[in-house]
Amino acid sequence: MEIVFNFSLLIIGFVLLMKGADVFVDGASKIAIKMHVPEIVVGLTIVAMGTSAPEAAISITAALNNGAAISIGNVIGSNIMNIALILGLTSIIATLPIKDNTLKIEIPFVVIITVILCMMGYFFHEINRLAALLLIILFIAFLSYLYWLSKKGVDSVEEVEELSEKDTYLRLLALIVIGAVMIVVGSNLTVDAAKAIAKIFGISDRIIGLTIVAFGTSLPELVTSVTAARKGKTDIAIGNIVGSNIFNILFVLGISGLVSPSPIFFDSAFLIDGVIAIVAAVLLFVLSYSKKSLNRIGGIILLAGYIIYIVKMMI
């Protein structure tokens, strides 16, 4: 009975997180537009970061509640899942074209920052405030790069919804507050339920973070990518997933490290998972390089690799 209760809380937490993120981003982005903030800036910040809001909420909550394993596991697990599972499944449905900037700059950048994260874990065994600050600086550099891309006219930025007559300041402020409350409550429920489930089954917070929590926070990307592939809208799938991976490491772990009352402990076991995340990104690059696209064979390779990884982790 206890396990059913905790899984129910986990699902409720995920639902609150996803809906809360949507509501918060909708309110925040529209109120920014009403205050005459350029749409490109809103797309680069509020809307784009909204896709990482569930990961951020989970990781920050876990960091504040001595759940470092869930915090780091959530990010690394989501990044592995984004490439190996989501892009694997999506490219089996339809070939995914890949843009030059994504192939030559963004995917290598994912590899570099994942290596940096692993080096932090290997040499210091933690993410302290100095390390978190470095991640945030790199995140600001990435936002600057996105801004430069947008000025060149490259379509790599999230679209911002247009305003309507009903979008008054009062309504939008209410959306922001409601969305924020849903995110906070949802993240607390998810972290508490995940830790309880780990305790019941006698498995580590690391595995819970890498699997259940990572899957829950990556669910929107999975549904969106598969749906887009089925409808033939595949042009920005890889760019969005790669961008999400960059946000997860730099923004999510950067903010988590800054707000955590103590350094986030980096368990040595995560080094293996970090290496898997690096291999997944390198594999994506290799499989996509020659034809500047990820085809069905590449997708099968990525998906098979993910299944092997999960099986090995559970044994």
Side-chain angles (χ1 to χ4, degrees), residues 27-49:
S29 59
K30 286 183 177 179
I31 207 166
I33 295 298
K34 282 180 76 72
M35 295 174 70
H36 306 293
V37 176
E39 286 195 19
I40 182 63
V41 175
V42 177
L44 285 169
T45 55
I46 299 170
V47 179
M49 281 185 263

Side-chain angles (χ1 to χ4, degrees), residues 2 7 16 48 54 64 179 181 203-204 259 274 290 294 301 309-310:
E2 185 181 358
F7 266 112
L16 285 172
L64 290 171
V181 169
I203 56 179
S204 67
V259 303
S290 61
L294 184 64
I301 292 171
Y309 164 67
I310 291 295

Side-chain angles (χ1 to χ4, degrees), residues 294-312:
L294 184 64
N295 59 23
R296 184 169 294 170
I297 294 174
I300 291 171
I301 292 171
L302 286 174
L303 193 57
Y306 184 73
I307 293 170
I308 293 169
Y309 164 67
I310 291 295
V311 171
K312 285 282 188 182

Side-chain angles (χ1 to χ4, degrees), residues 24 27-28 31 35 168-180:
F24 181 86
I31 207 166
M35 295 174 70
T168 62
Y169 276 109
L170 185 61
R171 178 180 180 274
L172 295 177
L173 284 171
L175 287 178
I176 292 172
V177 172
I178 292 169

Side-chain angles (χ1 to χ4, degrees), residues 64-117:
L64 290 171
N65 290 280
N66 298 315
I70 289 178
S71 181
I72 295 176
N74 175 35
V75 167
I76 296 178
S78 290
N79 282 14
I80 295 171
M81 196 170 290
N82 281 348
I83 292 177
L85 176 62
I86 295 177
L87 289 183
L89 279 175
T90 308
S91 59
I92 289 172
I93 297 170
T95 297
L96 305 177
I98 181 168
K99 295 179 179 178
D100 275 346
N101 57 286
T102 300
L103 186 63
K104 296 176 181 178
I105 298 176
E106 291 158 26
I107 294 177
F109 188 56
V110 169
V111 174
I112 291 168
I113 61 176
T114 310
V115 168
I116 290 173
L117 179 63

Side-chain angles (χ1 to χ4, degrees), residues 126-202:
E126 65 181 22
I127 299 175
N128 55 30
R129 282 197 171 85
L130 186 61
L133 185 61
L134 172 62
L135 295 179
I136 293 298
I137 290 170
L138 289 171
F139 176 65
I140 293 170
F142 179 64
L143 285 181
S144 301
Y145 158 75
L146 288 182
Y147 186 77
W148 172 75
L149 272 187
S150 68
K151 286 301 182 182
K152 284 185 64 180
V154 179
D155 181 23
S156 62
V157 180
E158 299 276 356
E159 292 184 2
V160 179
E161 289 188 31
E162 294 183 1
L163 294 172
S164 64
E165 291 182 4
K166 65 179 181 179
D167 291 322
T168 62
Y169 276 109
L170 185 61
R171 178 180 180 274
L172 295 177
L173 284 171
L175 287 178
I176 292 172
V177 172
I178 292 169
V181 169
M182 290 172 72
I183 289 172
V184 171
V185 173
S187 62
N188 276 302
L189 281 177
T190 303
V191 170
D192 290 345
K195 292 178 80 170
I197 291 168
K199 188 175 180 180
I200 291 170
F201 284 107

